[in-house]
Amino acid sequence: VVVSIIRQELIEGKLDEAIKNYEESLKIRQNYSEVRAELCSALFRKGQSERALAECRRAIRENPKLARGHYYLAFALYKKGHIDPAVQSFKTAISIQPDFAEAHYWMGQIYLERNERDPAIASFKEALRLRPEYDEAKVALKKAEGGGGGAPPK
C-alpha cells in the first residue's frame, strides 16, 4: 500500500515528495527492499544516478528475488551506457518474473540497438502478448520489423 501511494506521487511528478516518503518508510523498516527499489527509480528520475544504483544494489542484496529491483538496476545501468550489465539485470528480472512486460520491452530496445532484429522482434512481441495496450512496444515492433518511419536496422 505504501509503495502504491508513493508511486502515485511519482506519476504526478512529485519527485522530491516521493523520495522523502520512500526515505521515511525506510527509517521505519530498513530492510524494505520493495520500497528501496522504488527509491532507486525516483532517484534516477531526479538525476541522482550513483545513489540510485547504490539503492538498487542494496534492494537486490536484501531480496535477490525482487524482479523490480533488478529491472530498475538494469534501466539505470542502461541509461548510463553500461549495456552488458544492464542486459544481465534485465534477464534476471525476466527470469524471476516472466510476465514483466517492461523488462521484455527494454531487452528488445537493446537488441534493436545492437541490430539484432529477430530477438528484438521476439522481445517486443512478448511485451505485447503480456500487455496488448503497450503503445511503446507497438511502435518499437513496427520499427524492428522495418516499418517504423526509418530504415530498418542492419
Side-chain angles (χ1 to χ4, degrees):
V1 175
V2 170
V3 172
S4 298
I5 293 168
I6 303 172
R7 200 178 281 159
Q8 185 60 39
E9 292 172 346
L10 287 177
I11 292 168
E12 294 170 3
K14 301 175 183 175
L15 278 177
D16 291 329
E17 194 172 324
I19 290 168
K20 180 178 142 266
N21 287 327
Y22 284 135
E23 290 171 336
E24 289 298 317
S25 295
L26 289 168
K27 285 178 186 174
I28 296 166
R29 186 172 161 203
Q30 289 185 352
N31 292 331
Y32 195 175
S33 57
E34 189 176 331
V35 168
R36 192 170 303 286
E38 296 294 334
L39 173 60
C40 165
S41 173
L43 289 167
F44 188 79
R45 291 180 194 185
K46 182 77 174 169
Q48 298 179 22
S49 58
E50 291 306 316
R51 185 166 168 225
L53 287 169
E55 292 295 344
C56 281
R57 288 183 174 116
R58 184 168 174 190
I60 291 166
R61 275 194 313 272
E62 292 170 1
N63 182 358
K65 296 291 185 187
L66 183 65
R68 194 157 290 279
H70 289 280
Y71 170 78
Y72 288 144
L73 176 62
F75 191 76
L77 289 165
Y78 169 76
K79 289 297 186 178
K80 288 185 64 71
H82 303 296
I83 305 303
D84 290 335
V87 166
Q88 281 309 115
S89 290
F90 279 128
K91 286 181 177 181
T92 300
I94 291 167
S95 73
I96 294 167
Q97 186 180 334
D99 64 347
F100 203 150
E102 292 83 1
H104 287 283
Y105 169 80
W106 284 105
M107 278 302 306
Q109 287 293 352
I110 291 172
Y111 287 132
L112 196 57
E113 287 175 16
R114 291 179 168 179
N115 294 319
E116 298 176 33
R117 288 183 64 187
D118 290 340
I121 289 168
S123 293
F124 295 136
K125 284 183 176 180
E126 182 63 8
L128 285 167
R129 184 187 72 75
L130 296 165
R131 239 181 78 202
E133 75 290 349
Y134 199 164
D135 290 336
E136 293 91 343
K138 290 176 187 176
V139 171
L141 176 60
K142 190 173 182 180
K143 180 179 177 184
E145 290 176 332
K154 296 178 181 172

